[in-house]
Amino acid sequence: MTRPSSDLFSGGGDTGRLMAELDWAHTPLGPVGGWPQSLRAAVRMVLSSRYPMLLLWGDDFSQLYNDAYSALIGDKHPAALGDDVRVTLAEGWDVLAPLIEEAMATGVASWVPALQLLLERAGYREEAYFSVSHAPARDDDGRTVGVLTVCSEVTQQVVGERRLRLLRDLSVLGDGRTVDVDATGARLIDVIDGHPLDVPFAAIYLRDGTALRRVACTGGDRGHAGALPDAVELTDPGPPTYAWGLTDAVEGRTTQVTDVADRLPLPAGPWDDPVRNALALPLPSADEDQPLGVLLVGVSPSRGLDEAYRSFHQLLAQQISVALRNAQEYEEERRRVEAMAELDRVKTDFFANVSHEFRTPLTLILGPLTDALTDATAPLAAVQRERVETGWRNATRLLTLVNSLLTFSSLEAGRARSDARLVDLAALTAELAGVFRAAVERAGLTLEVSCPPLPRPVAVDPVNWERIVTNLLSNALKYTFIGRIRVTLDADDEVRLTVTDTGIGIAERDLPKLFERFHRVRGARSRSHEGTGIGLALVHELARLEGGDVRATSQVGVGSRFTVTLPWSATHRTAVSGPAVDERGDAARAAVEEAMGWLTEPGDAVTEPDAASGPATDELAGARILLADDNADMRAYLIRLLTGQGWRVRAVTDGRQALDEIHRDLPDLVLTDVMMPVLDGFDLVRRLRADPTTRALPVLVLSARAGGEASVEGLSLGADDYLVKPFAAAELIARIRASIRRARGRTPAAASGGGPATVAVPPARPAPVGPIPSAPAVEPVHDVSVVAETPVDPDGLGDLLDVGWAYPSAPTSAAAMRRDVRGALDDLDVDPDVLEDLLLAGSEAMNNAVEHAQRPSRPEVRVRVQMGGDLIRISVRDFGTWRDRRPAMDRGRGALLMNAYGDVRLVSTADGTTVTIERRLA
């Protein structure tokens, strides 16, 4: 006996009651009493589920679904019950049809995690995303007669992640390093242009006195720019200004524009529907009553302007405002620098005077060193001679640098002169080129010199000409590894010196800047990374001083050609009478001496310590040090110093060779210079830290780049220590010993079996601390948007990770914190994007703690990382009373970034402040 049809739909909620009331006899499925048992079973399963489910049955794809699914189709319910899905979802059928037909044809279920679908369920063509599975539905005979669809909407997740990426990309541009405000606006607009689904068009207007000026716009093919006013006079705004809501926005009120399609026909969204709405948002400034400007943004026609969309637009305006305010500050600073031009002139004079003063002590250094080396009556022992020769070579190099800087400062100040003398220019050029022959041949290259006699003598300054030839040949030798260097001198209507090489060549984009002072081609392969960056600039200035010019042509991978031209009119100057200055050949010999250092390759063998070297009882005896430095004298000095401690040293000349040696034979410590050819020290550290096999390898960085910024960069990349040249030998030895001992003392533990692992990651510098106790809640500070409540009880966390560190309350601690937190979480398979978000939020919390803590009882900041289940928590605690950040320090990003990347809570007491950042992994 068949039960009444109402029993089939009982327990199905509102949709079940509607299905019970529906006259199924007028549908393709027919009366319920005639339904097969397989259909009845499928209907019961659908109605009993709380997960959105849709059953399509028969050739007409008749729809049967539950309450959860009815919420997904909006106002299409309840008309869709029993109707053909091809009619109900006609707008999205071209996407759904292949999936449904495949399931019915193959009998194999499919799954799509984020299927984009066009829906008309709320009065407009909506962009929606669903996680969808289609499985075949079979009748009583086992034939596939339909499809069972299980789905869930993931629109908010997909759209939210997309918008967060845009905000993250914009935050990177908020560093204030752009040249000016307009360039910053253009960069911001370029980023927005890559996200047309959320921002169909955008325009940035900035306040300029009593007017608004459009600095950048984007959207479509940008042909719409004519529909937007270029400038708006606020004292007398016209109709377009009111129509776009600019006047209200510039007074601080967000305004919605609803008739965009009438004035700006712009297709947008996934299906090129016309944009109908826009928002004019004020760009906040330090003065709340006077916004920085206005951000005009289009609203996607495929998304409803709900609260989440409006909040996204507010965050967008804040990010753009931060970047523009930073650029304004940078531009103001640049104007202040330009106002100090007169002071720069005075400093140039001072620099010239100091360069002169350098010569006296250098003379007193070089003189005794030369005497000691040439004294036949009291010859030096071999070891002492080697040390004195190293000092003499480098003092000579220093004198060359001082002379170059002195010449350059004279040229810059306009006080340089040319002591022109009649010379045989061909013989002089050939002689100078010949000085380089030994160095060129030692490099395995061929030196070709073609300097036939000129028709008449030439009046030039021999010292200036020597510097021109020397710098060009030195440059050619530095960047040429195979082939030849050719020097030619010829004349017709002008005198031409040409230096051609078969070196690495110069990219076309770098040629215009080649003769600019201090310009260096980044990433170029060379024999050495040393140099001041003024060699070619000096050639350019000296050629002009002699009445000529210099030009360069080059092709990457083929070589370069430098041509110095002197018109005959410039060589007919009145020659200076009297004895010549006795400096001829000094610059060339010094350059060759330096080049010989580039060509000194370290041996393949490890330098073993002497049997009697090092302390008598030393647990570090025999430690293996890999040394990377492109300066031959520095390598030799460090090898002597390190082997004297009983350590084994292998030396290489660049970061690439260092990587190869490390992978071949892992050392106990890497000692590396920063500025090296092929691969510099920072890139070497970055690659070592990215490789799990070398992540814990101690790295000590040596560099002539002084200053906090350079050391912060090195430490933030993961270097264990950073030492600035010149350094004391005892300090270097002490730091190496500390780094090796610290590395040997690390004992990370890993759990075995099926239980959770407890990972302890000891930091390189900060000391581990215990759990950070919570404190009673107080009023939250202004810079961080938090909930003022007692933090969640931490006892539920820490089953996977619970580790802490203490750092000095200093700006550089954020870099050390990032490295330690990354190391602690790397082994736990945390998603890289989640890890980067947490590191960014934690850095902001650390910076806040350093900048805001006033009169701390302890000059430190404590950081604790806990992980359990699907939750990660980072706690940052200082020990001072809170103070507001000065306006000049306020970048406005702390609250935005912390809240964008995690749930933030703050607790502050008289003893200090604790900021807690939590992020769920699922």
Side-chain angles (χ1 to χ4, degrees):
M1 175 177 167
T2 304
R3 293 184 177 183
S5 61
S6 58
D7 291 349
L8 176 61
F9 307 112
S10 61
D14 294 337
T15 304
R17 286 191 292 273
L18 291 172
M19 293 172 70
E21 297 170 0
L22 185 64
D23 184 3
W24 291 98
H26 290 85
T27 70
L29 296 179
V32 176
W35 288 5
Q37 186 60 35
S38 53
L39 175 57
R40 289 171 173 272
V43 170
R44 289 193 185 95
M45 179 181 65
V46 168
L47 291 177
S48 63
S49 175
R50 290 189 175 184
Y51 209 77
M53 298 180 72
L54 167 67
L55 177 64
L56 305 179
W57 195 272
D59 295 336
D60 294 312
F61 295 121
S62 299
Q63 302 170 88
L64 302 101
Y65 50 83
N66 56 14
D67 281 343
Y69 181 82
S70 67
L72 299 184
I73 59 175
D75 56 13
K76 295 178 180 289
H77 172 72
L81 284 171
D83 198 7
D84 192 330
V85 71
R86 292 170 294 188
V87 176
T88 303
L89 299 179
E91 64 274 16
W93 184 246
D94 58 333
V95 176
L96 294 171
L99 300 173
I100 294 173
E101 291 169 357
E102 181 182 3
M104 294 189 67
T106 63
V108 178
S110 65
W111 178 71
V112 181
L115 180 68
Q116 186 186 64
L117 198 60
L118 169 62
L119 289 182
E120 295 183 7
R121 58 181 176 178
Y124 64 94
R125 289 158 56 85
E126 180 182 355
E127 171 196 8
Y129 295 87
F130 294 88
S131 177
V132 183
S133 174
H134 293 94
R138 296 181 173 86
D139 61 11
D140 294 350
D141 297 326
R143 292 180 297 107
T144 299
V145 294
V147 171
L148 178 62
T149 300
V150 181
C151 61
S152 64
E153 185 166 6
V154 293
T155 303
Q156 293 302 324
Q157 294 93 310
V158 172
V159 173
E161 290 173 4
R162 191 173 67 203
R163 292 171 180 172
L164 187 59
R165 282 196 299 272
L166 171 56
L167 295 175
R168 186 186 303 171
D169 292 344
L170 290 175
S171 70
V172 176
L173 301 182
D175 51 17
R177 290 178 293 179
T178 315
V179 174
D180 54 32
V181 174
D182 287 0
T184 299
R187 290 175 63 196
L188 293 169
I189 283 297
D190 285 343
V191 172
I192 294 174
D193 196 31
H195 297 76
L197 293 180
D198 295 304
V199 188
F201 75 89
I204 297 175
Y205 288 85
L206 291 183
R207 187 187 292 271
D208 188 0
T210 61
L212 279 180
R213 178 175 59 89
R214 192 183 74 200
V215 297
C217 66
T218 187
D221 59 1
R222 306 197 185 190
H224 66 278
L228 303 174
D230 292 327
V232 173
E233 182 58 51
L234 298 177
T235 57
D236 186 23
T241 306
Y242 289 108
W244 287 108
L246 299 177
T247 51
D248 288 336
V250 81
E251 293 177 1
R253 298 185 297 273
T254 298
T255 305
Q256 181 174 349
V257 183
T258 58
D259 57 349
V260 174
D262 296 337
R263 283 174 284 110
L264 181 58
L266 179 66
W271 301 284
D272 290 336
D273 296 320
V275 177
R276 299 179 181 84
N277 295 284
L279 288 178
L281 302 106
L283 294 174
S285 68
D287 185 355
E288 295 181 1
D289 297 329
Q290 190 174 35
L292 185 68
V294 175
L295 173 65
L296 183 63
V297 290
V299 177
S300 171
S302 304
R303 296 297 308 156
L305 188 56
D306 53 16
E307 187 61 32
Y309 205 175
R310 289 180 181 273
S311 297
F312 161 72
H313 285 124
Q314 293 292 340
L315 289 173
L316 187 66
Q318 291 177 26
Q319 289 283 50
I320 290 174
S321 175
V322 168
L324 292 173
R325 287 164 61 189
N326 288 343
Q328 282 184 337
E329 292 177 6
Y330 183 91
E331 198 168 3
E332 290 170 1
E333 180 64 23
R334 188 184 62 179
R335 284 196 291 265
R336 284 193 292 269
V337 171
E338 291 173 352
M340 298 172 66
E342 180 61 21
L343 178 60
D344 287 342
R345 186 189 64 79
V346 175
K347 288 194 293 186
T348 300
D349 292 342
F350 171 76
F351 182 67
N353 294 334
V354 170
S355 297
H356 275 290
E357 293 300 320
F358 278 155
R359 291 186 175 218
T360 298
L362 279 172
T363 300
L364 295 176
I365 293 173
L366 283 168
L369 290 177
T370 303
D371 293 342
L373 291 170
T374 58
D375 190 350
T377 61
L380 297 172
V383 173
Q384 298 301 330
R385 172 171 288 276
E386 183 179 0
R387 291 173 177 171
V388 173
E389 286 177 345
T390 299
W392 178 84
R393 280 195 303 271
N394 285 277
T396 302
R397 182 183 175 214
L398 182 58
L399 178 61
T400 302
L401 291 174
V402 168
N403 288 337
S404 297
L405 291 172
L406 181 60
T407 302
F408 197 79
S409 64
S410 298
L411 290 166
E412 191 176 51
R415 292 194 299 268
R417 59 191 179 90
S418 171
D419 293 332
R421 298 177 182 275
L422 286 175
V423 297
D424 182 346
L425 196 61
L428 175 60
T429 304
E431 177 185 345
L432 293 172
V435 175
F436 279 82
R437 185 172 296 280
V440 172
E441 292 177 351
R442 182 172 180 176
L445 306 174
T446 301
L447 177 64
E448 300 177 359
V449 181
S450 176
C451 299
L454 299 180
R456 51 184 178 271
V458 176
V460 296
D461 186 329
V463 175
N464 288 346
W465 187 255
E466 178 182 353
R467 288 172 178 159
I468 291 173
V469 175
T470 296
N471 275 293
L472 290 177
L473 279 171
S474 179
N475 188 74
L477 178 57
K478 189 174 186 178
Y479 294 101
T480 303
F481 296 87
I482 57 173
R484 61 186 176 85
I485 299 173
R486 179 174 176 81
V487 181
T488 61
L489 185 74
D490 58 6
D492 41 34
D493 56 344
E494 62 183 5
V495 178
R496 283 185 303 276
L497 166 69
T498 304
V499 178
T500 308
D501 63 60
T502 57
I504 63 172
I506 305 164
E508 186 175 353
R509 64 176 181 277
D510 290 310
L511 286 175
K513 299 181 179 180
L514 199 58
F515 297 106
E516 292 182 3
R517 59 197 67 179
F518 310 120
H519 174 73
R520 304 184 72 168
V521 179
R522 292 186 177 274
R525 181 190 177 199
S526 63
R527 296 187 184 275
S528 173
H529 204 73
E530 296 177 336
T532 59
I534 65 172
L536 292 179
L538 198 59
V539 170
H540 180 257
E541 296 294 337
L542 290 174
R544 294 180 61 185
L545 184 64
E546 294 299 319
D549 201 358
V550 61
R551 61 180 181 271
T553 58
S554 184
Q555 185 176 348
V556 174
V558 176
S560 304
R561 177 191 297 268
F562 290 85
T563 303
V564 179
T565 58
L566 294 175
W568 283 110
S569 59
T571 64
H572 290 164
R573 293 174 293 168
T574 302
V576 178
S577 59
V581 179
D582 188 19
E583 293 182 2
R584 182 166 167 176
D586 290 351
R589 285 189 290 273
V592 170
E593 189 72 34
E594 181 180 359
M596 285 295 190
W598 306 340
L599 304 173
T600 303
E601 293 289 339
D604 293 334
V606 175
T607 304
E608 299 286 351
D610 295 334
S613 64
T617 58
D618 186 357
E619 79 279 12
L620 301 185
R624 296 167 300 166
I625 310 294
L626 178 66
L627 169 64
D629 199 302
D630 61 333
N631 184 286
D633 283 335
M634 181 59 71
R635 287 196 305 272
Y637 169 68
L638 290 172
I639 288 173
R640 287 198 304 270
L641 188 63
L642 300 178
T643 54
Q645 297 297 310
W647 299 333
R648 305 172 67 235
V649 182
R650 181 182 294 276
V652 295
T653 60
D654 59 63
R656 171 58 62 188
Q657 294 180 21
L659 274 179
D660 294 341
E661 288 295 333
I662 290 169
H663 291 146
R664 189 175 66 85
D665 184 15
L666 192 69
D668 293 302
L669 179 137
V670 175
L671 180 62
T672 178
D673 190 21
V674 171
M675 301 179 70
M676 297 184 293
V678 185
L679 188 73
D680 66 28
F682 285 162
D683 282 336
L684 172 62
V685 174
R686 187 180 292 109
R687 297 194 184 190
L688 290 176
R689 292 301 177 247
D691 187 344
T693 62
T694 58
R695 186 169 295 157
L697 177 64
V699 180
L700 196 154
V701 176
L702 290 177
S703 177
R705 294 173 58 184
E709 182 177 334
S711 61
V712 167
E713 183 179 359
L715 294 173
S716 65
L717 290 174
D720 291 79
D721 212 340
Y722 188 100
L723 192 59
V724 176
K725 302 174 185 176
F727 52 82
E731 180 182 6
L732 174 63
I733 295 301
R735 293 195 184 204
I736 291 176
R737 287 183 175 277
S739 294
I740 296 177
R741 284 171 178 151
R742 188 162 55 233
R744 290 183 177 180
R746 293 173 182 158
T747 54
S752 60
T758 301
V759 181
V761 184
R765 290 174 304 283
V769 300
I772 300 173
S774 60
V778 299
E779 183 69 16
V781 298
H782 299 125
D783 191 50
V784 184
S785 301
V786 298
V787 179
E789 60 184 31
T790 303
V792 177
D793 184 358
D795 292 340
L797 280 178
D799 57 336
L800 291 179
L801 177 70
D802 193 345
V803 64
W805 305 272
Y807 301 92
S809 183
T812 56
S813 294
M817 182 275 294
R818 285 195 300 271
R819 186 199 62 192
D820 293 330
V821 173
R822 185 190 299 277
L825 295 177
D826 267 348
D827 296 331
L828 298 180
D829 294 327
V830 177
D831 182 86
D833 289 338
V834 172
L835 178 57
E836 292 302 322
D837 292 347
L838 287 170
L839 290 175
L840 186 56
S843 296
E844 290 296 331
M846 171 67 84
N847 291 333
N848 276 344
V850 171
E851 294 175 0
H852 290 226
Q854 193 172 19
R855 297 187 299 277
S857 58
R858 301 185 204 170
E860 66 182 30
V861 179
R862 293 192 176 191
V863 177
R864 183 183 184 189
V865 179
Q866 297 169 282
M867 181 174 174
D870 64 346
L871 183 67
I872 298 179
R873 176 186 298 147
I874 298 179
S875 304
V876 179
R877 182 186 182 190
D878 62 62
F879 295 90
T881 57
W882 197 267
R883 64 176 173 84
D884 284 338
R885 193 186 299 184
R886 299 191 307 272
M889 298 169 62
D890 184 15
R891 297 297 181 201
R893 296 200 302 168
L896 181 66
L897 291 178
M898 279 192 280
N899 282 281
Y901 299 140
D903 296 327
V904 182
R905 296 181 179 84
L906 178 141
V907 176
S908 183
T909 69
D911 297 327
T913 301
T914 300
V915 175
T916 303
I917 304 163
E918 293 184 350
R919 177 72 177 264
R920 295 206 173 269
L921 302 179

